[in-house]
């Protein structure tokens, strides 16, 4: 007869617990502790007798952890995510210390830990978030020496130069002109390396080059490709290394007015007078997508590392941020106007900023007022602009934006536009209107100034009466991405260097001027790479496409040569407070 399972010892104990008769738990726990203690003492005695047990490393790995160098590939999972982050952070801080030691020689380790390393880590975090963080404008606020770092690339184009691009390493410069030719230059020697001549319209082979004005040019971030677009409605792709033509795109229905490569990718964005924005993949030499929205021809485009681009619509006076991944767009409305109240407020704000900075002894060396004192050219230009603003405010002149002509991205959330009224506008994705406007940034045409001097301030011949004011429109913009430095140009004979303000109040201030005669139809700027990637003090190279005529027409003409001008600005680590 089989044993009944209900007579088992465990079941009997369970039934007693169910019947409300508890088991003596205290005695059972004591017995368990005694048994464990006896077992431990026995193991210690055995380990004293047997030395092999102590030397068995495999039995100790789970308690003390194995040496990371002796782990096999299957044991790498023992490092947790927190340990990995800590290890990578220590390695990065070590690299920063080595780079700083090599750059400064003798240094205080504690001071570097507090300032340089923390600042570098914060800067990298901000750049990854898409916001500007590096302040470099103060390094280039010293007076420009026309004999040092300046070079004019001549005899490359028969007609006005319309656009320019520079490779990321700063070795080569590409320029396009109204003669339909693309020219490759050596920046250091100034020699002309290669000329891709324009094709005749009647006998043109559209697969070899442009047969009309080249209006836009773009350089890929890896320095392998150059893209050009022109009035012949075509986009041509060229190889930088082999100097050969790679392909052509002809999907646009009107002149191609703007080109830009996405940073870190070989994705090309183009805008055209046909009001469309198109996307291209240069690695596959294929078309990707088309974006619609502008009510007038788009005249300029810019992009950074995110999958988005910003365009301006010319006479529809809109700035549009295209979020390609989300298939959406943000529309910003331009059309700002100057009046007596705004001009007077601009002058008062400048006075307040200057007094506050001069009265504050703790003002940093990067403050705009201190930089002006060290640069007489910038100071004189500022005073001249203030005199012009006073005259316009006195005569109650109203200048309204009729067309947006240039755009540049400072970071993924901030951009600058220039218009035909001479206004430089600072935009943010958080507001539909400009957060800051600098009116008549490049002055007015000379005939207004001469008429003002001859009239002697007579009301009948004032600037706003018989001689209507013709401001100089902004023809080109460029910015060093994720920094506080940007450039603007027109036909007044100067390229102006601006510094973004720090703090809660948005805006920018003039810190330097570069003399250039003629219409500046295009600007390109790059930071020269250093041997150590962690060094933040880098020289910059600014290239300008200069011509006798504007880029998109022939309604005006200046006495100048059709050249490409290159400026090399050495960085200054500290600002001389005694200047």
């Amino acid at each position: 007869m089989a044993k009944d399972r209900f007579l088992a010892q465990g079941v009997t104990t369970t039934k007693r617990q169910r019947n409300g008769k508890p088991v003596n738990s205290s005695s059972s726990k004591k017995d368990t502790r005694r048994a464990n203690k006896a077992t431990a003492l026995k193991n210690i005695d055995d380990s004293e007798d047997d030395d092999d047990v102590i030397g068995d490393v495999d039995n100790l790995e789970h308690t003390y952890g194995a040496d990371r160098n002796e782990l096999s590939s299957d044991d790498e999972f023992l490092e947790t995510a927190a340990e990995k982050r800590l290890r990578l952070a220590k390695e990065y801080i070590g690299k920063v210390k080595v780079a700083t030691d090599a750059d400064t020689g003798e240094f205080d380790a504690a001071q570097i830990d507090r300032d340089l390393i923390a600042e570098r880590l914060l800067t990298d975090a901000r750049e990854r978030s898409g916001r500007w963080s590096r302040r470099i404008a103060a390094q280039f606020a010293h007076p420009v020496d026309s004999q040092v770092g300046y070079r004019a690339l001549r005899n490359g184009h028969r007609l006005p130069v319309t656009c320019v691009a520079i490779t990321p390493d700063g070795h080569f410069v590409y320029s396009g002109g109204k003669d339909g030719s693309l020219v490759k230059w050596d920046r250091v020697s100034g020699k002309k390396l290669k000329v891709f001549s324009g094709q005749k319209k009647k006998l043109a082979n559209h697969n070899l080059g442009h047969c009309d004005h080249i209006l836009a040019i773009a350089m890929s971030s890896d320095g392998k490709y150059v893209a050009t677009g022109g009035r012949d409605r075509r986009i041509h792709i060229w190889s930088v290394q082999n100097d050969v033509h790679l392909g052509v795109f002809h999907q646009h229905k009107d002149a191609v007015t703007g080109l830009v490569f996405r940073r870190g990718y070989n994705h090309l964005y183009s805008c055209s007078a046909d009001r469309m924005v198109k996307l291209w993949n240069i690695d596959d030499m294929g078309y990707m997508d088309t974006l619609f929205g502008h009510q007038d021809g788009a005249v300029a485009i810019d992009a950074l590392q995110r999958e988005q681009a910003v365009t301006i619509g010319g006479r529809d006076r809109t700035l549009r941020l295209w979020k390609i991944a989300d298939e959406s767009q943000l529309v910003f409305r331009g059309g700002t106007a100057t009046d007596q109240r705004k001009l007077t407020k601009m002058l008062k704000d400048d006075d307040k900023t200057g007094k506050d900075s001069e009265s504050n002894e703790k003002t940093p060396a990067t403050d705009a007022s201190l930089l002006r004192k060290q640069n007489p050219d910038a100071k004189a230009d500022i005073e001249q602009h203030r005199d012009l603003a006073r005259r316009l405010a006195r005569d109650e002149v109203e200048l309204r934006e009729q067309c947006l002509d240039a755009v540049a991205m400072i970071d993924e959330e901030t951009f600058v536009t220039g218009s035909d009224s001479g206004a430089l506008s600072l935009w943010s994705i958080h507001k539909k209107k400009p957060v800051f406007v600098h009116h008549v940034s490049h002055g007015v045409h000379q005939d207004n100034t001469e008429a003002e001097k001859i009239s002697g301030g007579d009301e009948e011949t004032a600037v706003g009466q018989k001689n209507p004011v013709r401001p100089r429109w902004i023809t080109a913009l460029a910015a060093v991405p994720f920094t506080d430095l940007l450039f603007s140009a027109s036909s007044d004979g100067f390229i102006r260097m601006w510094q973004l303000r720090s703090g809660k109040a948005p805006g920018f201030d003039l810190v330097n001027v570069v003399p250039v005669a003629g219409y500046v139809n295009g600007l390109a700027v790059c930071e020269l790479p250093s041997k150590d990637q962690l060094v933040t003090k880098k020289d910059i190279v600014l290239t300008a496409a200069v011509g006798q005529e504007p880029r998109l027409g022939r309604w005006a003409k200046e006495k100048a040569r059709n050249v490409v001008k290159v400026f090399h600005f050495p960085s200054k680590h500290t600002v001389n407070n005694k200047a």
Side-chain angles (χ1 to χ4, degrees):
M1 181 177 177
K3 187 177 180 180
D4 191 352
R5 62 186 182 90
F6 292 104
L7 299 179
Q9 184 176 358
V11 175
T12 305
T13 305
T14 305
K15 292 179 68 175
R16 289 179 181 176
Q17 292 176 354
R18 290 178 179 176
N19 294 333
K21 298 179 180 180
V23 183
N24 190 0
S25 59
S26 59
S27 60
S28 63
K29 290 182 180 179
K30 291 180 180 179
D31 295 339
T32 303
R33 284 198 297 269
R34 291 174 183 175
N36 293 338
K37 185 174 181 181
T39 305
L41 293 175
K42 182 179 180 181
N43 292 336
I44 293 175
D45 295 337
D46 295 340
S47 62
E48 292 177 355
D49 297 337
D50 190 0
D51 294 335
D52 294 337
V53 176
I54 298 177
D56 192 357
V57 181
D58 295 337
N59 294 334
L60 301 178
E61 282 186 1
H62 295 286
T63 304
Y64 301 101
D67 187 1
R68 185 174 284 110
N69 296 328
E70 297 179 0
L71 285 175
S72 62
S73 60
D74 296 336
D75 298 329
E76 291 181 354
F77 66 91
L78 294 177
E79 183 182 31
T80 63
E83 292 174 347
K84 183 177 181 180
R85 287 194 297 268
L86 180 61
R87 176 172 56 84
L88 294 178
K90 289 181 178 180
E91 293 177 357
Y92 181 78
I93 293 175
K95 292 181 181 179
V96 174
K97 287 184 177 180
V98 173
T100 309
D101 186 12
D103 184 57
T104 60
E106 298 181 358
F107 64 94
D108 185 4
Q111 184 68 20
I112 290 176
D113 289 340
R114 286 194 303 269
D115 299 334
L116 298 181
I117 298 177
E119 182 180 357
R120 179 68 189 190
L121 295 174
L122 181 61
T123 299
D124 292 348
R126 288 179 177 174
E127 287 187 1
R128 286 192 296 269
S129 66
R131 298 178 181 178
W132 74 274
S133 57
R134 291 190 295 137
R135 303 194 63 84
I136 65 173
Q139 303 173 15
F140 310 101
H142 49 83
V144 177
D145 189 352
S146 59
Q147 303 299 327
V148 178
Y150 165 76
R151 183 179 297 276
L153 310 180
R154 299 184 176 91
N155 302 324
H157 298 275
R158 296 180 291 104
L159 297 178
V161 187
T162 58
C163 51
V164 66
I166 185 170
T167 54
D169 56 8
H171 288 169
F172 306 114
V173 176
Y174 283 83
S175 61
K178 290 189 176 182
D179 54 2
S181 61
L182 175 67
V183 182
K184 180 181 181 181
W185 309 84
D186 184 274
R187 181 187 64 86
V188 179
S189 63
K191 294 182 179 180
K192 186 168 48 177
L193 302 179
K194 183 71 175 179
V195 178
F196 304 93
S197 301
Q199 306 295 311
K200 294 183 179 180
K201 293 184 179 181
K202 294 183 179 180
L203 303 176
N205 185 351
H206 298 301
N207 295 326
L208 296 180
H210 291 277
C211 61
D212 209 334
H213 300 176
I214 296 179
L215 301 179
I217 190 171
M219 176 71 64
S220 62
S221 58
D222 58 4
K224 294 182 179 180
Y225 304 104
V226 174
T228 57
R231 206 165 67 170
D232 57 359
R233 302 176 295 177
R234 286 170 172 78
I235 300 174
H236 291 269
I237 310 299
W238 315 83
S239 173
V240 175
Q241 299 177 350
N242 302 324
D243 295 333
V244 295
H245 184 268
L246 299 178
V248 58
F249 303 127
H250 47 78
Q251 280 82 351
H252 276 293
K253 299 179 180 180
D254 207 334
V256 179
T257 55
L259 293 172
V260 65
F261 275 94
R262 180 185 174 191
R263 290 167 61 92
Y265 301 86
N266 289 327
H267 294 171
L268 179 66
Y269 304 150
S270 64
C271 66
S272 171
D274 60 5
R275 301 178 293 177
M276 292 186 290
V277 178
K278 291 185 180 292
L279 285 60
W280 318 87
N281 190 333
I282 304 304
D283 290 330
D284 300 333
M285 296 301 286
Y287 160 82
M288 295 173 59
D289 199 359
T290 300
L291 309 177
F292 300 92
H294 279 295
Q295 302 301 314
D296 193 24
V299 296
I301 188 172
D302 200 8
L304 291 178
Q305 58 192 18
R306 289 184 185 175
E307 196 175 359
Q308 63 183 23
V310 60
T311 58
I312 52 176
R315 295 197 176 275
D316 69 358
R317 298 190 297 275
T318 62
L319 172 74
R320 295 176 186 262
L321 178 65
W322 306 88
K323 296 185 176 181
I324 300 172
D326 299 337
E327 297 183 355
S328 62
Q329 58 177 298
L330 297 178
V331 182
F332 305 87
R333 302 291 179 181
T336 61
T338 64
D339 54 23
Q340 184 178 10
R341 182 182 59 83
K342 291 183 179 180
L343 292 173
T344 305
K345 183 178 182 300
M346 181 179 67
L347 294 174
K348 290 182 179 180
D349 291 342
D350 291 342
D351 291 337
K352 182 179 179 181
T353 304
K355 291 180 180 179
D356 292 343
S357 59
E358 291 177 359
S359 61
N360 187 5
E361 297 179 356
K362 298 182 180 180
T363 301
T366 57
D367 187 77
S369 62
L370 181 59
L371 299 177
R372 294 172 194 160
K373 293 180 181 179
Q374 303 184 55
N375 194 341
D377 296 336
K379 185 176 180 180
D381 190 90
I382 292 173
E383 292 300 328
Q384 184 178 1
H385 178 267
R386 289 171 62 84
D387 293 339
L388 175 62
R390 292 190 188 98
R391 291 200 302 269
L392 297 178
R394 179 197 64 192
D395 300 320
E396 299 183 359
V397 176
E398 182 181 12
L399 301 175
R400 184 175 295 276
E401 284 183 344
Q402 301 296 333
C403 178
L404 298 179
D405 295 307
V407 63
M409 295 189 71
I410 297 174
D411 57 31
E412 302 290 357
E413 299 180 354
T414 312
F415 5 92
V416 179
T417 59
S419 66
D420 59 348
S421 67
L424 277 176
S425 302
L426 182 66
W427 302 78
S428 173
I429 63 172
H430 304 291
K431 290 187 177 181
K432 293 294 184 180
K433 292 291 184 179
V435 296
F436 178 80
V437 180
H438 192 277
H439 297 285
V440 203
S441 301
H442 285 261
V444 296
H445 283 275
Q446 191 68 20
D447 52 358
N448 299 128
T449 306
E450 294 297 332
E452 176 74 9
K453 292 180 180 179
I454 296 173
S455 64
D458 189 1
E459 295 181 358
E460 295 182 357
T461 58
V463 175
Q465 302 295 326
K466 290 186 177 181
N467 298 284
V469 175
R470 294 194 303 123
R472 295 184 183 271
W473 67 89
I474 310 300
T475 57
L477 287 174
V480 182
F482 306 109
T483 67
D484 63 338
L485 182 61
L486 62 102
F487 298 87
S488 67
S490 183
S491 60
D492 62 335
F494 294 99
I495 297 175
R496 285 170 169 77
M497 183 186 300
W498 308 86
Q499 178 191 31
L500 290 177
R501 296 174 183 172
S502 60
K504 297 182 179 179
F508 42 79
D509 299 291
L510 181 69
V511 295
N512 210 340
V513 291
V514 183
V516 177
Y519 277 95
V520 181
N521 294 318
L523 291 174
V525 61
C526 78
E527 291 184 283
L528 294 181
S530 59
K531 295 182 180 180
D532 194 338
Q533 297 181 356
L534 298 178
V535 175
T536 58
K537 300 183 295 297
K538 301 179 182 179
D539 297 354
I540 63 173
V541 174
L542 176 68
T543 57
V546 183
Q548 298 177 349
E549 302 170 353
R551 178 175 69 112
L552 298 177
R554 303 187 63 182
W555 57 80
K557 192 171 185 179
E558 293 284 343
K559 293 182 179 180
R561 299 192 62 178
N562 301 319
V563 297
V564 176
K565 295 190 175 182
V566 181
F567 302 91
H568 180 193
F569 297 102
S571 63
K572 298 288 186 180
H573 178 51
T574 58
V575 179
N576 187 7
N577 295 330
K578 297 180 181 181

